[in-house]
Structures are given as structure tokens and as C-alpha cells.
Amino acid sequence: MVYQAATSEIGGLFPLLAASGVPAVGARIGYDTLSGGAFYTHPVEWVLRGLATNPNLVVFGEPGRGKSSTVVAFLLRMMLFGVKTLISGDVKGEYSPLLRALGVTPVVLGRGSPARLNALDLGPLRSRWEGWPVARQRVELEGVVARWVKLLAALAEAQGYRPTVTDEAVLATVLRRLVGIADGYTRPVPVTIPDVQRHLADPDEELWTSTRFADRRQFLDTLRPITDALGNLVSGTLSGLFDEQTNVTLDWDAPAQSMDLSRLRTHGEQAVAVALTCLGSWSSLVTDLQEDGDLRIVVRDEVWRQMRLGLRAVQAVDADLRLSRAERKIQVLVLHKPSDALSVGAAGSQEAAIAKDLLALCSTRILFGQSTRVADDLAEDLALSEREQDATTGWAMERPGRALWKVENTPGYKVQTVLSRTEKRLFDTNAQLRPPRGRP
């Protein structure tokens, strides 16, 4: 039997149906399978409306469950609201088809590519330098130097050496001299890692006296470990990638930018991790200098690789997540399982403790299909109910694009991502498995 009724009467006929609890604003991802209504996502609006305490997202899911396509759909649809995207290290090259479809050429680093990206590049700071008053110039340069010191210390730690306070103080002095802060130059001077390494290996008298060393020999002996660590970066597997001047032109006003690291995988895990660390620092500089009111999404795919380098690498990710609201960023962490983040250090170490707390810095958790063992870990870490845990091991495994969306401590939403025909073609992460057209 068929019933006809006005929409005002539907609530009385079917009183148990309810609309999704999230506002209809932002990127339309798909539909809430419980209510049948459209499901929208705008992490900043969720913060402004009190639904979340921060705009960060963390995505968990096994390969092939629609994790990447949902993330890319979110990025594309947020562009309609003027939100730009920065892919801070595309480890597998999954985002490159999207950028090319948008008319943007991704920066490809690694084997056979002529592209170079200076880890200490000034980025947009140089183009905006002339428009700032002297006081603003000095503030921005000091901020850049502080970020560079943290980066160089993290890279040294990746070589097995944990820098001291003295090391960091000397690095700051060298960087100020190289970039021109100390000499009051009218424009900042480009700096590279080899420049820093040369100053440490062959200091002049002014350097070792200004940093309070008794003589040149004491300076060399004290700074030898970090000097050698930076030297390994110049002559190791990443030689030429991050230690030369940037030779690519980036459009800072483009809707999306990406650094494709897929060609670096042949260099090993550490090479990819070091590259992610360099790009993380470099991209933070880019987003720090965005205009007031601008929003930007920063995607950190397989961020656990970067955090395995040491304590400072973990602290860098932690700081970026904590500052997301102040810096108008939406940080998106893409992981396979909770143990990815917990494998960054020994059990009970400071690295592991910080990494475990990173989940608390992401108000929105998107849980795609998982095996029972991994789902048990998620249930414990995210305080999932039995019904929510069953959704990740059962319902979400039945079809790609299904995920449980948890916003803070509210009950999870069972959401099915919906892609258009064009999006399915752009987001096909299995394309490399298919034979060329015309070949069986």
C-alpha cells in the first residue's frame, strides 16, 4: 500500500527518523546511512559552532577501503569555499591526478626529476618583504630562523645524534649571519644546508668568540657531531634534493600544491622520512605567511614515517596540531592503524607518549573498515561503543567509501562517500594495477 502525505506530516508518520546532527555547511561528502540525509563537513564551522574543539582530522583505514578518495573529495569540495590545500609530502603520488586536473603541476622530487627544493627556502617571505615595515621584517625573520633551527636539529637527530642547547644556539647564530639579520641587509640572503655546514666546519674568529668558545679547537670539537650529521645530508641519499636553491616556481595562489615523493621510495624509509620532515618545516613557513582570514588544509599522508626520526620530529607534528586554530589550518593526518603513531619510539619513551596524545588533538576521527584486531585498538584509544566498533569491522568492510565519523565524543555517524563519475576517474588508486588500454 502507498501513502501520500504533506511533508509537514511525515514527522508524525515516521517519528523515529532524524536528520544528521551536523550542520549543512561545507563539503558535501555523501549521505548519513541512518537518516538518509546528506552529510556535510566543514571542520572550522564545527569549531565555531561548538561541535569540536579543533579543526584537525585523523583518518584510519586499511588500503582499498576508500580512504584516499574520501580525503581527496574533501579537498576538492572545500575549494568551492576558497580553502586552499597543501599536500605536505605525497608519498605514493595519489594526489597528482587531482592537481593536474586543476591545472597545477605537482612538484616531483626524487629519481630522474630535476626539481630541487631548498629546505631553508624563504618561500613567499621574499616576495612580500618590500611591503613590510622594518619591525615586521625582523619579527618574520626571527620566526623563520627559529623554525630552521628546529628543522636542522631534527635532521641531525635523524642521523642518530641528539643536539644540545649549545648546538641550537650556534645554529641560530650562524643562520642569522647567513640570512643577513645581523648585518641589517635590505633583503634576506638565500641560505642552504651546505652553507650552514661549511660555517660549522670552518668557523671564523668572530663566530667562535661570539658563541663564547675559548678557541677554534673547542668550537670544532664541540660542534663536530652536528657538523657531521648535516654533512651526511649533503652527501647522502638525499644529496641535491634539499640542499640546493629551489629551482621550481610555485603559485602561492593556486587552489592546491603538492610535493610528490613517490620516486623517493627506492632510497629507503629514512630518505622518505627526512624528506617529509623538510617539507613539513617548509610548508609550515608557507602557511604561516598566508593572508589574514585565509584557510588552508595541510595533508600529512603517512606522517608516522616522519615521526620515527626522533623526538624533535614528533614535537614538530604535535606543535602544528596544537596551533591549527591560531594559524587557520585544517591538519589532516592519514594513517592505517593506531600503532602507526605508537611505533615512533620505545615503549614508555617521550616520543611514544607525545604520539599517543596526538589523537586527542584531532577532534574529527574518520574510521574506515578495519580488521578485528585493529578495531580493538581503535575502540580502546577512541573509546568506541560496541556498536561503533562493530560498524568498523562489519558495515564499513562491505563497501568502499563507508566510514564511521566521530566528532569529539558524540555518537559516530555512518557515512557513505559518494563520488561523481569524474571523481572516480581522478581518484582511482588502483589505476596502476590495471593493464594499459587495449591490452588484456
Side-chain angles (χ1 to χ4, degrees):
M1 185 176 294
V2 177
Y3 292 93
Q4 292 183 342
T7 54
S8 60
E9 299 173 349
I10 293 297
L13 291 173
F14 302 97
L16 299 181
L17 291 182
S20 173
V22 297
V25 60
R28 183 171 177 173
I29 299 298
Y31 61 90
D32 181 346
T33 59
L34 177 61
S35 68
F39 186 86
Y40 296 83
T41 303
H42 198 312
V44 173
E45 282 293 328
W46 290 355
V47 172
L48 295 177
R49 300 181 187 217
L51 300 177
T53 56
N54 64 70
N56 303 323
L57 293 80
V58 60
V59 185
F60 291 105
E62 292 182 347
R65 298 300 173 191
K67 180 172 72 269
S68 298
S69 58
T70 297
V71 172
V72 179
F74 168 66
L75 306 180
L76 179 62
R77 296 167 191 182
M78 287 297 288
M79 292 176 193
L80 298 174
F81 301 89
V83 181
K84 298 181 176 66
T85 294
L86 180 65
I87 311 297
S88 184
D90 184 1
V91 178
K92 298 186 289 290
E94 292 180 339
Y95 301 90
S96 292
L98 171 66
L99 266 76
R100 294 191 179 96
L102 293 171
V104 180
T105 302
V107 178
V108 181
L109 300 173
R111 186 186 70 256
S113 172
R116 300 292 181 266
L117 192 64
N118 180 15
L120 306 182
D121 193 282
L122 290 163
L125 184 144
R126 281 190 293 179
S127 62
R128 300 176 184 176
W129 183 260
E130 300 294 344
W132 287 336
V134 174
R136 173 74 184 275
Q137 291 175 349
R138 290 191 174 275
V139 169
E140 294 294 350
L141 275 176
E142 283 293 347
V144 169
V145 168
R147 189 176 296 283
W148 285 346
V149 169
K150 292 180 181 179
L151 170 63
L152 294 176
L155 295 178
E157 193 171 57
Q159 307 295 316
Y161 171 67
R162 181 161 292 189
T164 65
V165 175
T166 300
D167 294 328
E168 295 186 5
V170 173
L171 286 174
T173 301
V174 170
L175 288 167
R176 289 191 188 97
R177 293 180 63 184
L178 288 171
V179 80
I181 296 178
D183 297 330
Y185 293 155
T186 56
R187 290 186 64 84
V189 178
V191 182
T192 63
I193 292 178
D195 293 334
V196 177
Q197 199 266 347
R198 281 193 295 269
H199 273 66
L200 296 177
D202 186 20
D204 56 32
E205 184 176 354
E206 181 182 353
L207 178 57
W208 59 259
T209 55
S210 64
T211 49
R212 298 179 299 165
F213 285 90
D215 51 34
R216 187 172 186 271
R217 174 48 53 192
Q218 185 188 34
F219 180 97
L220 292 172
D221 291 343
T222 303
L223 276 298
R224 176 171 285 112
I226 195 167
T227 302
D228 292 343
L230 296 180
N232 289 338
L233 292 173
V234 175
S235 59
T237 57
L238 294 181
S239 174
L241 293 180
F242 297 99
D243 53 12
E244 298 180 9
Q245 293 296 343
T246 301
N247 64 357
V248 293
T249 302
L250 296 177
D251 180 6
W252 305 111
D253 296 321
Q257 287 289 357
S258 174
M259 288 72 178
D260 188 330
L261 304 180
S262 57
R263 298 187 186 182
L264 277 182
R265 286 180 291 177
T266 57
H267 293 275
E269 289 287 333
Q270 188 179 44
V272 174
V274 170
L276 288 172
T277 303
C278 290
L279 290 177
S281 175
W282 186 84
S283 60
S284 294
L285 170 63
V286 173
T287 53
D288 285 350
L289 295 176
Q290 63 195 21
E291 297 298 328
D292 290 342
D294 286 349
L295 293 176
R296 190 179 298 268
I297 299 172
V298 180
V299 179
R300 297 173 177 270
D301 202 352
E302 300 193 19
V303 68
W304 54 270
R305 296 175 184 264
Q306 173 186 342
M307 295 193 297
R308 281 183 177 179
L309 289 180
L311 175 61
R312 284 173 173 81
V314 177
Q315 290 173 332
V317 176
D318 179 77
D320 285 338
L321 292 176
R322 292 181 184 277
L323 295 173
S324 58
R325 288 194 305 175
E327 297 177 348
R328 305 177 304 280
K329 300 176 189 174
I330 301 172
Q331 300 276 352
V332 180
L333 308 186
V334 183
L335 304 168
H336 292 299
K337 53 189 182 299
S339 60
D340 289 344
L342 301 181
S343 64
V344 302
S349 66
Q350 188 176 359
E351 296 98 307
I354 296 175
K356 186 175 182 179
D357 291 339
L358 291 182
L359 294 181
L361 300 177
C362 298
S363 286
T364 303
R365 296 84 181 260
I366 308 172
L367 314 179
F368 287 83
Q370 296 281 9
S371 65
T372 303
R373 180 181 59 81
V374 175
D376 290 341
D377 294 337
L378 282 171
E380 181 179 354
D381 294 335
L382 304 180
L384 300 182
S385 68
E386 183 177 349
R387 181 171 297 179
E388 290 172 334
Q389 185 176 356
D390 290 342
T392 62
T393 58
W395 171 82
M397 297 286 279
E398 295 172 358
R399 183 177 177 183
R402 288 184 172 184
L404 184 74
W405 288 62
K406 286 279 292 183
V407 183
E408 292 288 353
N409 295 320
T410 59
Y413 301 98
K414 295 166 68 173
V415 178
Q416 171 70 61
T417 299
V418 178
L419 304 178
S420 68
R421 182 179 302 175
T422 301
E423 289 172 333
K424 289 178 181 178
R425 176 174 52 83
L426 289 176
F427 307 165
D428 186 4
T429 56
N430 292 325
Q432 67 273 18
L433 300 177
R434 296 187 174 91
R437 183 174 296 179
R439 181 182 300 176

